[in-house]
Amino acid sequence: MTAGEHIPQEDLALYAMHSLSADESAAIRAHLETCAECRAAVAEYSGDIALVALSVDQHTPPDGARERLMNRIAADAANPESNVVAIDAKPVNKVYASIQWSLVAAMIVLSFALLLKIGSLRIEMRQQAALIQQQSAQTARAQQILDLLTSKSAQHVALTAAQAHPQPTGRAVYLASSGSLYFQANNLAALPAGKTYELWVIPASGAAPVPAGLFQPDATGNASVILPPLPTGVPAKAFGVTMEQAQGSATPTAPILLVGAAAGE
Amino acid sequence: MSENLPNPQQAPERTDNSASGRAREAGSERVKDEALLERVAANDQSAMAEFFDRYGGLVYSIALRVLKDSGHAEDLMQEIFFQVWKKPESFVPGRGSLGAWLAVVTRNRAVDVLRRRKPDDPVDDVVLVSKTNLASEVERSSMMEKVRQVLDSLPVEQQKSVELAFFEGLTHAEIAAKTGDPLGTVKTRIRTALISVRKAIQA
């Protein structure tokens, strides 16, 4: 582009959309400072952008968002030092005033940049916090599995098929105090369509069996249930496996395919 | 303070949907917008609460569409409203509607966040030509339907280019690399889509 030429309309549209590289945008920005015609075109495209933005599905802001904004504004209003522009009422000469206004303008731009930078940093902090939380949860889960497998108090139970030919086997490790359970099964028969295996904890108290997870064997007949959600403090006298409908069942359906009594019960 | 303010979303529904009714309503809302900003400029906190009630959903929805995360969308929404509080003169009445201005600033800021671009681009100098007034829920809803119809009627390639540029925040060069289309083609598709929307709304 040479002096006197206008920016192609396609580039002005992309400029308005922030779809150009930084270098391309800077070149157009410089041109716009002296070209009212191109500025008008960018304004038209910005109007179009507003319309396209309108096409999004409408959502209500999260609960508390309004209150958080108002609290921030109240805090800002209570602290006049944070105001962006300070007005100096003293008379100044023309050159000095020009310099002052330039400084004020620069400060406004700087303040905006800082405000937006703070916003970006807050978003990055939120992402980092989410990552740390996820990693902490994974570490806690691994530690819980380790505690379960190494605990001397854990009940180790071997489950065998209740049928005459007990090829399928299962092994459960259970810590009643924390409700932790690790279960591994082998040589399971493939499931019919719409069916699932379900593991049960049979309480020592004689209460109803507690569902301890649905599972399906892989191609070699192996399956596992690791740390299913269970109540704590429920000593077990046995564990069982039944075949249920795919969505699982609240009570076991006969026959019990695998069963194992807990040692010491 | 803010708890006692009326929530416009709970206001009785307007029933005058005629063209003249909408025009009267738009004019009225525009005056309210300007009056609201004058109160904000005078550090009236209750005016900011009204301002949020009127445009919070619009700003949050656009931010959410681009950022795809409710937390990030709220952060951006909070920043934009706080900037309005700090510098209400950023919007110059008469250049366009306040709702349209907020829509553009929100979309552009969201794209900046997506790209982790330095936030010192002068997008707060956004000046736009807009004959639409988005302060009214009725007007906003009507306009939304029109724009959606236009976008849905665009050729698939144009729709894809607009989606990638507008909501995914890709540059035209990134879109060309992603789709394998020539740069010039991508540019033309995006501009043509914008012009199509403009003409359809003006028709």
Side-chain angles (χ1 to χ4, degrees):
Chain A
M1 181 188 66
T2 60
E5 288 182 349
H6 292 299
I7 304 287
Q9 288 294 312
E10 284 81 3
D11 288 342
L12 292 177
L14 292 170
Y15 174 81
M17 287 183 71
H18 283 209
S19 296
L20 294 174
S21 68
D23 290 343
E24 292 169 320
S25 291
I28 292 179
R29 195 175 303 130
H31 173 81
L32 292 178
E33 288 178 2
T34 59
C35 181
E37 190 174 329
C38 287
R39 279 201 305 272
V42 169
E44 290 276 2
Y45 289 123
S46 294
D48 302 335
I49 290 169
L51 292 172
V52 177
L54 261 188
S55 68
V56 305
D57 290 333
Q58 293 299 296
H59 298 272
T60 303
D63 291 341
R66 184 179 191 267
E67 186 180 5
R68 285 189 283 277
L69 174 68
M70 297 314 298
N71 287 342
R72 187 177 179 190
I73 285 171
D76 180 75
N79 180 16
E81 295 300 318
S82 68
N83 284 342
V84 175
V85 181
I87 298 173
D88 187 349
K90 289 185 294 185
V92 291
N93 65 48
K94 194 173 181 180
V95 173
Y96 186 55
S98 172
I99 294 172
Q100 276 204 323
W101 279 113
S102 298
L103 286 172
V104 168
M107 287 184 67
I108 291 172
V109 171
L110 180 61
S111 299
F112 257 115
L114 289 173
L115 283 171
L116 293 167
K117 183 65 178 173
I118 289 169
S120 298
L121 289 174
R122 287 182 62 195
I123 290 173
E124 285 185 30
M125 285 177 62
R126 187 186 287 271
Q127 290 172 332
Q128 292 296 326
L131 184 61
I132 290 171
Q133 189 175 15
Q134 182 184 5
Q135 290 175 339
S136 297
Q138 290 173 344
T139 302
R141 181 175 171 82
Q143 183 62 48
Q144 195 176 358
I145 293 172
L146 186 63
D147 291 344
L148 169 64
L149 296 178
T150 59
S151 172
K152 294 178 179 176
S153 305
Q155 296 170 290
H156 292 251
V157 182
L159 281 68
T160 59
Q163 304 296 326
H165 302 288
Q167 290 90 351
T169 60
R171 179 168 294 276
V173 183
Y174 178 59
L175 188 58
S177 60
S178 64
S180 302
L181 173 62
Y182 175 87
F183 174 76
Q184 173 71 43
N186 305 100
N187 304 321
L188 292 169
L191 286 162
K195 295 286 188 178
T196 183
Y197 286 114
E198 186 158 9
L199 177 64
W200 302 92
V201 175
I202 302 168
S205 64
V210 178
L214 308 177
F215 61 93
Q216 296 190 339
D218 59 21
T220 59
N222 299 323
S224 60
V225 177
I226 301 172
L227 299 179
L230 287 172
T232 58
V234 181
K237 70 176 179 183
F239 297 83
V241 172
T242 61
M243 186 183 297
E244 306 292 347
Q245 295 297 326
Q247 70 274 16
S249 172
T251 57
T253 303
I256 298 178
L257 305 176
L258 290 176
V259 66
E265 297 296 338
Chain B
M1 175 196 63
S2 60
E3 288 75 6
N4 296 327
L5 292 169
N7 185 343
Q9 293 175 345
Q10 296 171 352
E13 291 185 5
R14 299 179 179 89
T15 53
D16 184 0
N17 284 330
S18 65
S20 60
R22 287 198 301 273
R24 281 196 303 276
E25 181 185 53
S28 170
E29 296 292 352
R30 193 183 296 274
V31 170
K32 286 180 185 174
D33 274 348
E34 294 179 13
L36 208 52
L37 279 177
E38 286 176 6
R39 288 168 55 200
V40 171
N43 290 337
D44 181 346
Q45 295 179 42
S46 67
M48 273 307 296
E50 290 181 44
F51 186 66
F52 180 87
D53 289 338
R54 182 172 296 178
Y55 291 113
L58 175 69
V59 170
Y60 177 72
S61 299
I62 295 170
L64 184 63
R65 175 71 170 84
V66 176
L67 297 174
K68 301 179 178 65
D69 178 279
S70 58
H72 295 170
E74 185 189 335
D75 282 347
L76 180 59
M77 177 185 70
Q78 296 278 353
E79 288 307 316
I80 287 173
F81 278 104
F82 190 67
Q83 285 173 46
V84 171
W85 165 252
K86 295 291 283 185
K87 199 166 180 278
E89 66 274 20
S90 296
F91 172 73
V92 180
R95 286 180 174 176
S97 80
L98 179 57
W101 180 80
L102 280 170
V104 175
V105 169
T106 303
R107 181 270 167 191
N108 288 352
R109 276 289 168 234
V111 167
D112 286 346
V113 172
L114 268 189
R115 294 185 194 158
R116 296 174 181 274
R117 185 158 57 187
K118 289 180 183 176
D120 54 359
D121 292 356
V123 294
D124 299 293
D125 294 337
V126 166
V127 176
L128 74 164
V129 175
S130 172
K131 297 177 177 60
T132 59
N133 178 20
L134 310 180
S136 153
E137 288 283 348
V138 174
E139 194 79 8
R140 200 183 302 173
S141 178
S142 165
M143 195 63 66
M144 181 192 302
E145 282 307 311
K146 283 184 187 174
V147 174
R148 283 183 174 175
Q149 287 175 9
V150 177
L151 292 176
D152 288 342
S153 69
L154 294 176
V156 174
E157 296 79 12
Q158 278 186 32
Q159 290 185 32
K160 188 173 183 181
S161 295
V162 169
E163 171 68 25
L164 292 173
F166 201 92
F167 294 116
E168 303 293 330
L170 299 187
T171 65
H172 66 299
E174 291 167 337
I175 295 171
K178 188 181 180 82
T179 61
D181 295 319
L183 269 178
T185 303
V186 172
K187 288 182 177 182
T188 302
R189 282 176 183 159
I190 293 173
R191 177 177 177 254
T192 304
L194 292 181
I195 297 292
S196 298
V197 171
R198 183 190 305 173
K199 285 182 177 175
I201 297 304
Q202 290 174 348

